[in-house]
């Protein structure tokens, strides 16, 4: 009888720890979206702006038949870009995300190899989710949307 109680208590603790770890893994800190007076503001997409510190270079939003965007840090260790283009035209936005929010996204690198974007940053406005940045921590990944 004592063994059954001991095993039951042990299973309860294991289950509780697993559930707590899953809750921590699924929690994402929401960064409040505010303007930074020290950073430069520029056009990002139609009717949207974005800010970067002064050590980022590049043309930003450009386009003739639709918009694309490209900026990189002056040491080239960080690059931020988007382009959702068909053979004829570029769109400001790609597909919408599924609900619930995926834990990761798959992107193609410049050699068409799949790379997992398994890190995410959630942005909020007054505690309302307004955006997600998916990325990975791979030093050499050059990913294409």
């Amino acid at each position: 009888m004592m063994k059954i109680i001991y095993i039951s208590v042990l299973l309860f603790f294991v289950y509780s720890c697993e559930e707590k770890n899953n809750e921590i893994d699924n929690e994402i800190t929401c960064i409040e979206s505010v303007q930074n007076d020290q950073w430069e503001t520029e056009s990002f997409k139609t009717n949207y702006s974005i800010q970067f510190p002064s050590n980022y270079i590049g043309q930003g939003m450009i386009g003739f038949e639709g918009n694309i965007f490209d900026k990189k840090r002056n040491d080239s260790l960080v690059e931020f870009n988007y382009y959702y283009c068909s053979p004829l035209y570029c769109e400001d936005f790609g597909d919408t995300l599924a609900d619930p929010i995926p834990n990761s996204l798959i992107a193609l690198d410049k050699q068409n190899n799949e790379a997992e974007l398994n890190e995410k940053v959630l942005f909020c406005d007054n505690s309302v989710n307004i955006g997600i940045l998916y990325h990975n921590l791979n030093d050499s990944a050059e990913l294409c949307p």
Side-chain angles (χ1 to χ4, degrees):
M1 180 68 170
M2 189 64 162
K3 287 183 182 181
I4 293 173
I5 292 172
Y6 177 74
I7 292 172
S8 298
V9 170
L10 183 61
L11 288 176
F12 173 75
F13 282 120
V14 169
Y15 175 76
S16 296
C17 290
E18 284 181 12
E19 191 162 307
K20 182 69 173 172
N21 287 339
N22 287 338
E23 287 175 11
I24 291 170
D25 290 343
N26 292 330
E27 286 181 20
I28 303 171
T29 302
C30 186
I31 298 173
E32 200 61 33
S33 180
V34 295
Q35 187 164 346
N36 185 328
D37 295 333
Q38 312 303 313
W39 292 9
E40 300 171 19
T41 302
E42 61 185 281
S43 294
F44 176 53
K45 298 179 179 193
T46 305
N47 299 321
Y48 289 87
S49 62
I50 192 168
Q51 292 188 301
F52 284 93
S54 60
N55 63 337
Y56 277 74
I57 57 176
Q59 295 181 340
M61 186 177 82
I62 58 171
F64 174 70
E65 293 181 348
N67 297 320
I68 63 173
F69 187 92
D70 186 51
K71 281 285 210 190
K72 65 175 83 174
R73 201 165 63 186
N74 58 10
D75 63 6
S76 297
L77 293 176
V78 177
E79 184 173 350
F80 184 90
N81 59 42
Y82 85 81
Y83 45 95
Y84 303 105
C85 301
S86 70
L88 300 176
Y89 190 77
C90 294
E91 302 285 339
D92 274 350
F93 296 94
D95 293 333
T96 58
L97 290 177
D99 187 24
I101 297 168
N103 288 328
S104 64
L105 297 177
I106 300 297
L108 298 177
D109 66 16
K110 292 184 178 180
Q111 290 77 36
N112 279 337
N113 299 316
E114 287 187 350
E116 183 179 18
L117 305 179
N118 56 0
E119 300 287 329
K120 58 186 168 184
V121 180
L122 182 63
F123 295 94
C124 297
D125 185 17
N126 293 321
S127 299
V128 175
N129 299 343
I130 60 171
I132 304 169
L133 171 64
Y134 284 89
H135 64 97
N136 67 20
L137 300 176
N138 185 344
D139 290 341
S140 63
E142 294 182 19
L143 302 174
C144 303

